[in-house]
Structures are given as structure tokens and as C-alpha cells.
Amino acid sequence: MTSTTGPGDALKFVAFSSLVKVEFWTELATKKLDTYRLNDDAQPIYGFYGSGHDARTPCRLNLLGESSFDSPDDEGRRAAGPGARFEECRAIGYVKNVNTKEAFKELDKPAALAAIARETWADAVESDRAVAEPELLLRFLLLTFADLKKSAFLHWFAFPTLGSQALFRLVSSRPASAAAPGVLLGGPADAASVVRGLAGLWARSVEGTGRPHCPPFFVVVKDPRPGGRDDGDGEEAVAAGLRVLSLLEFERERTGGEVGDDTVVFGFVDPCSEPGGMPGWPLRNFLVLLSARQEHITRPSPVRHPRHAGGAAAHTTGGGPSLLGRSVVLDIDLSAAPSVSGGPGEAAAAVKAAWLPARVGSLGWEPNAAGRPGPRMSDLSSVLDPARLAENSV
Amino acid sequence: MLSLAKRIRETVTPARKTSAFLSQGVLTPEEFIEAGEQLVFKCPTWTWEAGDPSKAKDCLPDKSRQFLVTRNVPCHRRAKDLEGEYVGDTEVRQGESASMTAAAPATGAQQNQREEQGGVYLTMRGWSPMWWQIPREEGGMGGATATMAMRRSCSWGVGRGGLLGGEGGATDQDGVAAGLGAIQLVESHFTSPAKAATSTADTAAALQEAARETSTASGAIADFSGAGEEGKGSGGGPAGAGGGVGAGGGMLEDEDCPDLDSYVEDNLMQGDEATVQAGGVSYLTAQEPDDPILPTRSYDLSITYDKHHQTPRMFLFGYDESGQPLPAEEVFEDVMQDYARQTVTMEPHPHLSSHHASVHPCKHASTMKIMLENLTKGGKEARVDQYLFIFLKFIQSVVPTIDYDYTMSVDAGGGNN
């Protein structure tokens, strides 16, 4: 990465890079033939990401075969069986598969994306549903034209974002494993306890929702009672005096007065392993939620965001020093960001306008391989077409 | 047609009922499941998958545990380049080693002796056996060997020795010993005596080519652009220098195909100061002057159970760094060149509807048998649930730059549970 973000600068987010598995395209082709046919309405799909990547691979959002097209029924089946652990966090998206190249070209793309951005705002932020279902903040749009005869798929991803301005300021950034006296999260023991706490949170989430996905966002709180608690999940986390809660659990405890504002760190699973410590795309809409709903969720500023790196490995092995070394704590200043708490009526409308600017539909489009604002083409003829394969087979 | 015949053959072969993993190096379906469970437990990057339900194998008891998958395994370098690099370091020896191989048909024992002589054998066969020797620290390695050993240890990072780390540190040595055996076997089984002479000629040609490549300032870059010219047309560069899309280069020439440039909409993706685009140029930019620009491909690996050979079977599917599937000729760049198109071929995946590169399992059993014997000789009990760990070590010699072990190093570092 050539550019880095320093203290005081506007916080930058590393955009998602799509990685569409060939199984997704074959599944889409099947759906097109059997289910969608000429229907080009947007259909719900899922994308997956996780943390713990090699530093030289980009911030990936993966589209898989079957599991990207899961229906609620499939979810239960998959949760019961093995598998589906890959890239543990799930994003909710839409695929809009048009029938002709011309339709692809003529489609009003900003309007399509702006509709999803508005939906994200209404569903996730305005209604507060994202507190219970944080996945609602992780949205994407995939436009496709499937040329089934040629096994070629023209496609373009967009990752809607609320707020087009750089409204978040980076105050400081440090590794979570670095000891820092006087702060909630600092030092290897704390970082380790967060990883263990997240494993516990994941287990509670699987139990509660029946879905095998890791909560993409979480809250680390200091236990108000010295000596910790002795109620079960993660004894070592208790020993360190830190607990990991879901947003919903946090809000309940906060309402009940159990958690003080000054002992909170918000966390997210970061698909970006960029060595400079720049956060990945999921944090962006999460910060919008935190800013816009300050009166509900957090005090004004600053907010700290540990970046959890480690994913599945952390959950099953308990994590090691190498793993924790990559979590990052960011101090972020949200004071420039508008909050819904400004009041009803005109003030609320002004806030909404700030988060949903007119050009929201033109932001977040993935560039093509040449870095230009255009679609990509996946040519699967070499991996699906028997004639070309014969040349390489013995 | 051929694959149809194979499918029929697999259908009629009865599933193995009795365990023979020590005596023959093969697995029963139940043992495959057991070994797979251990792999998934130790290395959470591996998961079970069901695949296409209509292709589920009856011999495997659980429809949801049909094959093992790990995805997005990085592959920073081309195996082709590594061979070239090593050979470039040691070209002085090439005449000597080539003549040795030509004179002596490869048998396990002779290869063993040759291996004792240090660099000679290794020079002949490229560098792949090299890293197995790192922990042994025996004398007799040539200077070139040492150089390569260092390079390997640098580029492969930590945790490699700890592959079997869950069993305690001592296992590492055994694993390495087993690995050494495997390499010899790989060599002796995949290269028949008759082929040895041919392969010598091939190698000599490869040596010259490689020497030429490494004499340019940066072999990797030169080689990559070369590959682009051969396989993909101008659109394939990961840095996007040529415009167009990754694997779509060939398609652009097709008159029916849309010109992707005509789809560009400049009003989209307009500057947002809070966005950093990844996956494009920035991730390929060199951090330091001596860090060449390398294309980071990624691979999805799967291990299926081959009922006919009664062994696991490895399948690979590659993506270039812009996320486009790699055509076969580019996948073969990541396979040791002696194996590409011979031992490693493109085959339909038994549980999916696409074609993957596959390491042919015909010699897996005998290779695994010797590896397990070496493990036993080292005083360790060879357990069936370790089978896939040893199998993966063995596969690493075929696809040395597909760095799936990095995912396991996490386990080795954290793993006492």
C-alpha cells in the first residue's frame, strides 16, 4: 500500500474486492435456466468474508456456490451439518441478472445502488434493526449478464456506503497487543481475552440464530465488578476483566446500567490485512450506525475499534501470539459526523440528507481489473467447456 | 469419455472394508472421514463440503462430508520461476547431474544414495526437496543448496515445521524424515526409468531457458509478462496495464463479444476521499525496491476420496489476483514442471461441475506407505488420523508455491488444544 493514514487524517477504508467462485457462476446459470428465467428482478444472495488473511491478498468478499443462494430453509440444514465455516461473516446482497448486453449497458446503475443505500439506511440505521441484525449493514449489489452459451459472465459489483464525505477522523492507531497503560484494551493478555470472548459470542450467536456465521460487529466491555464473574463462558476472559458482547447484549446491559460508557470498545471482524492498519469496508457503515445513533449506542467520541484478525483459527485454537499481533485499536473521532439525536422533523431530515447524499448511487462501484469504472468479464469457457479442456487433458 | 470410463470403474470397484493404511498406504472411506475430521479440527481453514448432492459417493457414509476444501490459499510465486531460480544458482553442476541421471535409471535405493551426496541429486531434480533438508543440517550440502535453503525458509515463513505440531514438537523431526522419504518416492514413482532420459533432456532445455530468464534483471516480472503474451493477450496483466479484464483477454478478440470499454461509466466510482481501492494497482505495488511486483494468485484446494485407488486425491482451482479463474496453462505454471500435464492434469471435479487440476493418485498409496514407514522407523506411532497431514506435505512437493501451510502455522502457534 503506497498511501497510509496518519493521525488526524480522514479515516480511509479499504474497499472490498470481489472474488466470485466458479461454483457461484454455475449455480447462477442453473438458477437462470430453472428459476429466474426472464425475470430480471434483484434476487437476494449472500457474500462471505473473514479475517486472518495473508497480508498481500486484498480485502475479499467471496461469492460461493450453493451457500450464496441459501434460503432460510437451507440455513438450518447447513448450520446443522459441517461446513459453511469458510469466511465466517456474511453480507447480504442482491444479484440483478439482466437478459441482454444492452439491458446491462442501459441499466440506471446509480438508481439501483441508491435504492439499496436507502434501504440500508431505513432498515439498518433508522429502524435500529442493525443492533439485532448487524448483517443489515453489510450490503452489496451484483449486476450480471450471463452469456450461457459462451459461459461468460459480465458483472459489476457495488458496495453501498452511507455518507460520501470523510466524516471520521483517525486519532490514533496501535496494535492491540501493544501494552498501553490506562486504556481499556492494551497488551497481549487483553487481546487474547478478546479473541476468546469473541469465540464465546460466536457460539451464543449460533445457538440463538441457528446460523453458523460469526457476528461481524461486537462490543468489548470492562467488567464493572472487580474479580470478574464466574458464570461460564471463557474463564480466562473473565480473569482479564473483559467481556465481548453483541450489540444487542450491550444495549440491554447499558440500559440496565451495568456498563459504563468509558469502558467500551467497539470491534469488527476485518477482512483487510493491509499492513498499514487501514480498516476494511465493513467498518464504514458500522461507524455510520454508531454516529447516527449515538444516543442509543455510544457516547459522542472518541470511539475505539479493535480490529480483530484471526477468524476461525482464533475460535478453535484459542489463538496464539502471531494471530493477535494483527489486531489493531483505532481511536476514531466521530464528532464531525451528524447524529440522529439532533431532534425530530427538519433536523432529522438534515441528518438523513448528510448520510444519503444525492451521489450515493455512484459511490462504491468496484473498478474493473484495469482500475476503470466498468464491469468485469469472467470467462469460464476454459474451465467448463470440454473442447478446450481436451487440449490440456491427457 | 475417459472420465466416464473412470467413473464406471469407480462404481464397480468395491469400497475397501479393512484397514490397510500401514501395510499398503491406502484408506478405507471411514478412515478418510477420520483423517478428515482431524484435519478440520487442527486446521480450521479446511472444511467438509457436500458438493453436488447428485454426485455424492455412496461409500462415504455422510452426505455432508464428501470432500475437504480450503479456499483462497495464496500463491505468490510461480513454481516455474522457483525452478529457474534454483537452477540459475547452480548451473555449474548441471552437466554432472544430468549425466548421472542418464546413466543411472532411477530406483529408490540409488536415489537415496544420490541424495546422500548432497547437492547433486537435488540439482538434477530442481529445488523441491530442498526444504526437507533444512532441519537436518547435515554436512555435504553445496553452497548453492544452502542459498536455496535460506531462500526457502525466508519465503515460507514460520510454522512450517510445526505441521504436526499438535502431536508435540518431536513429531516435526519425524515429519521431516517422512517427507524426505516422500520426495525420493515422488521422484522415483512419477518418473519412470524410461522417462528419466527424456526428462534429462527436458531439464537441460529448462536450465538454459531459466538461466536466460534469471539473467534479466527480474526473472519473475519477465516471466509473467511472457506468460501474458502466450496465454491471455494484452488484457491479462494484473496491474491492468493493458486495459480490459483479466482472463477476458482472449474474448475481446471475439467479434460477438462486447468491448468492455464500451461499458465504462465515468460518472460512477467518482472520487470519494474515504475510499481506498484495493485489489487494483495498490496491492501490487512494490514495498521496497528489491521486492518485485508479483501476481498473487489464490487457489481453492479440495481433497476427495478416490474409491478406485483408495487414497485421497487433490484438486486445485486457481484465480488470478483480480478474481478471474485461471486457465489450465496458467495453473500449470504453479506446478513443478516435471509433473505438469503428466501427473497433474485437468479433470472434472467429482463433486462439482467444473474442471480442476488434479494430482493423479496412482502412486499415492505406495508413496504414503513409505512415508508412514519412515515415521514408524523414527520411533513414532503412525496414526491414521495423521494421514492427511502427511499427504499434504507430500502434495507440497508437487505444488511448492501454493502456500496452504501458512494457514496451518496458526494452529501450530496456538495449538495445545
Side-chain angles (χ1 to χ4, degrees), chain A residues 21 109 164 284 362 376, chain B residues 72 265 269 272 276 322 324:
Chain A
K21 301 294 182 181
K109 298 174 186 70
S164 60
R284 189 165 178 164
S362 58
R376 300 177 178 216
Chain B
N72 295 1
E265 296 189 28
M269 210 179 84
D272 170 25
V276 177
S322 69
Q324 302 305 314

Side-chain angles (χ1 to χ4, degrees), chain A residues 388-394, chain B residues 80 195 230 327-333 335-347 357-360 398:
Chain A
R388 271 185 72 176
L389 283 164
E391 296 167 17
N392 296 301
S393 296
V394 174
Chain B
K80 217 170 78 167
K195 195 190 155 244
E230 288 162 24
E329 54 266 31
E330 291 179 41
V331 172
F332 289 141
E333 293 173 352
V335 175
M336 290 302 284
Q337 292 303 288
D338 282 352
Y339 306 139
R341 294 166 207 274
Q342 313 271 346
T343 307
V344 180
T345 53
M346 298 305 283
E347 307 259 351
S358 164
V359 184
H360 197 270
V398 181

Side-chain angles (χ1 to χ4, degrees), chain B residues 26-304:
Chain B
V26 296
L27 289 180
T28 65
E30 289 74 22
E31 286 172 334
F32 175 68
I33 300 286
E34 186 187 347
E37 289 290 311
Q38 184 69 5
L39 179 66
V40 170
F41 177 70
K42 292 280 187 198
C43 308
T45 47
W46 287 92
T47 51
W48 284 108
E49 294 229 340
D52 183 343
S54 66
K55 297 182 177 180
K57 292 188 179 175
D58 293 335
C59 66
L60 294 170
D62 186 346
K63 291 279 174 274
S64 60
R65 288 180 173 82
Q66 290 286 314
F67 65 107
L68 293 150
V69 177
T70 184
R71 291 197 173 87
N72 295 1
V73 178
C75 179
H76 297 302
R77 321 179 70 182
R78 307 286 76 83
K80 217 170 78 167
D81 299 338
L82 289 185
E83 285 179 280
E85 238 172 67
Y86 174 68
V87 169
D89 285 344
T90 58
E91 45 190 325
V92 184
R93 291 161 179 252
Q94 63 173 276
E96 182 192 354
S97 63
S99 61
M100 273 199 74
T101 308
T107 65
Q110 279 164 327
Q111 294 227 353
N112 220 339
Q113 285 170 3
R114 221 177 293 150
E115 200 262 325
E116 294 295 325
Q117 295 166 23
V120 177
Y121 161 73
L122 296 165
T123 304
M124 168 54 210
R125 301 303 304 174
W127 60 272
S128 73
M130 197 59 66
W131 63 272
W132 299 108
Q133 288 210 336
I134 297 169
R136 283 180 53 169
E137 292 179 3
E138 286 181 0
M141 281 194 198
T145 311
T147 311
M148 192 55 213
M150 283 174 64
R151 191 174 299 160
R152 289 301 293 153
S153 61
C154 291
S155 63
W156 284 38
V158 294
R160 176 157 310 275
L163 192 58
L164 298 175
E167 304 305 317
T171 322
D172 289 1
Q173 289 299 326
D174 302 329
V176 169
L180 278 167
I183 296 306
Q184 292 153 22
L185 278 158
V186 172
E187 302 307 337
S188 58
H189 284 287
F190 288 161
T191 312
S192 66
K195 195 190 155 244
T198 328
S199 126
T200 305
D202 289 349
T203 311
L207 294 177
Q208 286 171 3
E209 190 187 334
R212 199 168 55 241
E213 272 176 17
T214 44
S215 69
T216 63
S218 48
I221 297 170
D223 183 65
F224 184 76
S225 58
E229 281 162 26
E230 288 162 24
K232 299 203 292 187
S234 62
V245 290
M251 290 206 51
L252 296 181
E253 293 154 22
D254 187 337
E255 57 183 15
D256 289 340
C257 267
D259 176 3
L260 284 174
D261 281 348
S262 72
Y263 289 92
V264 168
E265 296 189 28
D266 284 318
N267 62 323
L268 298 183
M269 210 179 84
Q270 53 182 261
D272 170 25
E273 54 177 310
T275 303
V276 177
Q277 289 295 349
V281 177
S282 58
Y283 264 85
L284 298 163
T285 306
Q287 301 278 323
E288 296 164 22
D290 61 344
D291 182 9
I293 297 165
L294 289 170
T296 300
R297 296 173 172 180
S298 63
Y299 277 86
D300 291 353
L301 310 182
S302 51
I303 304 175
T304 66

Side-chain angles (χ1 to χ4, degrees), chain A residues 1-3 10-23 25-26 52-60 62 64 66 81-87 101-102 104-105 107 109-110 145 147 150 152 154-156 161 163-166 169 272-275 278 281 284 310 312-314 316-323 359 361-384 386 388-389 391-394, chain B residues 2 6 41-42 44-45 47-53 62 64-65 70-72 74 76-77 237-248 250-251 254 256-283 285-287 291-292 294 296-300 317 319-329 332 341-342 345-347 352-356 406-407 409-411 413-417:
Chain A
M1 190 62 61
T2 46
S3 56
L11 186 63
K12 292 184 178 180
F13 304 89
V14 179
F16 268 128
S17 301
S18 62
L19 180 55
V20 186
K21 301 294 182 181
V22 66
E23 296 88 16
W25 293 129
T26 53
H53 290 289
D54 182 84
R56 285 207 279 181
T57 45
C59 181
R60 287 282 191 217
N62 299 273
L64 309 178
E66 269 186 89
R85 295 283 295 276
F86 170 72
E87 302 288 19
K101 294 180 281 199
E102 290 71 30
F104 191 100
K105 195 174 276 189
L107 183 75
K109 298 174 186 70
F145 163 63
D147 188 340
K150 294 201 181 75
L154 187 67
H155 66 283
W156 201 345
T161 176
S164 60
Q165 301 303 310
R169 300 270 146 197
C272 176
S273 317
E274 188 272 318
M278 252 187 277
W281 203 244
R284 189 165 178 164
T316 49
T317 65
S322 60
L323 185 70
R359 65 187 191 124
S362 58
L363 296 166
W365 291 90
E366 184 178 38
N368 64 18
R372 301 191 62 198
R376 300 177 178 216
M377 176 76 88
S378 277
D379 176 5
L380 301 191
S381 55
S382 68
V383 292
L384 295 178
R388 271 185 72 176
L389 283 164
E391 296 167 17
N392 296 301
S393 296
V394 174
Chain B
L2 191 60
K6 283 178 185 163
F41 177 70
K42 292 280 187 198
T45 47
T47 51
W48 284 108
E49 294 229 340
D52 183 343
D62 186 346
S64 60
R65 288 180 173 82
T70 184
R71 291 197 173 87
N72 295 1
H76 297 302
R77 321 179 70 182
V245 290
M251 290 206 51
D254 187 337
D256 289 340
C257 267
D259 176 3
L260 284 174
D261 281 348
S262 72
Y263 289 92
V264 168
E265 296 189 28
D266 284 318
N267 62 323
L268 298 183
M269 210 179 84
Q270 53 182 261
D272 170 25
E273 54 177 310
T275 303
V276 177
Q277 289 295 349
V281 177
S282 58
Y283 264 85
T285 306
Q287 301 278 323
D291 182 9
L294 289 170
T296 300
R297 296 173 172 180
S298 63
Y299 277 86
D300 291 353
F317 195 96
Y319 295 87
D320 73 13
E321 86 306 312
S322 69
Q324 302 305 314
L326 291 172
E329 54 266 31
F332 289 141
R341 294 166 207 274
Q342 313 271 346
T345 53
M346 298 305 283
E347 307 259 351
L352 303 169
S353 51
S354 45
H355 282 56
H356 294 212
Y406 99 95
T407 54
S409 69
V410 172
D411 178 62
N416 52 3
N417 47 348

Side-chain angles (χ1 to χ4, degrees), chain A residues 11 13 167-171 266 283-284 286-294 298-305 331-339 355:
Chain A
L11 186 63
F13 304 89
L167 293 165
F168 311 111
R169 300 270 146 197
L170 183 66
V171 179
F266 290 92
L283 179 61
R284 189 165 178 164
F286 185 45
L287 287 181
V288 172
L289 177 76
L290 294 181
S291 313
R293 304 218 61 93
Q294 280 173 5
T298 179
R299 71 201 181 103
S301 67
V303 183
R304 299 192 185 91
H305 297 268
D331 262 316
I332 298 166
D333 179 1
L334 301 181
S335 54
S339 165
W355 290 118

